Amino acid sequence: MELIYPINFVGHDSWIQSGYNPRLSHGDVITRDGEIIGTWRAIDYDPDDEFSGGTFEFTAFGEDPIKFVESFSSIDARMSRGFALSTLTRIIKEWYESNNPEIS
């Protein structure tokens, strides 16, 4: 698996290609160096309604509560879903780097 971004959402592309199948709406969050730092999931959306909103969640590895959330207004609108994922990625990256100053 090629990890090209500083923060990678494993399984995200498969979820989109499946038509937002709820069984595929989760995966690991991995750094470019291959460190698993948590999990992601998409919830509160209707895969049969292209205008359905939803939420991305991030849970840090070894923690129970959800650490970060970001909502999107339309599952099938790349701008809405992409902006939410981009925002969540930035938040995770900032959190990760602040907890690991040796990698910044």
Side-chain angles (χ1 to χ4, degrees), residues 10-84:
V10 176
H12 181 264
D13 290 343
S14 296
W15 172 62
I16 291 173
Q17 292 169 357
S18 76
Y20 314 107
N21 184 326
R23 291 187 319 242
L24 300 176
S25 64
H26 60 88
D28 289 330
V29 177
I30 303 177
T31 67
R32 179 181 287 145
D33 297 326
E35 180 183 356
I36 299 172
I37 60 172
T39 59
W40 71 273
R41 72 178 185 157
I43 61 165
D44 299 332
Y45 70 94
D46 179 351
D48 298 322
D49 178 1
E50 66 184 282
F51 301 109
S52 173
T55 304
F56 286 117
E57 295 180 338
F58 169 76
T59 303
F61 185 72
E63 297 183 16
D64 283 335
I66 297 160
K67 189 148 204 78
F68 304 117
V69 298
E70 192 63 37
S71 296
F72 50 88
S73 59
S74 178
I75 188 127
D76 210 25
R78 182 176 229 160
M79 290 291 290
S80 174
R81 193 186 63 252
F83 183 75

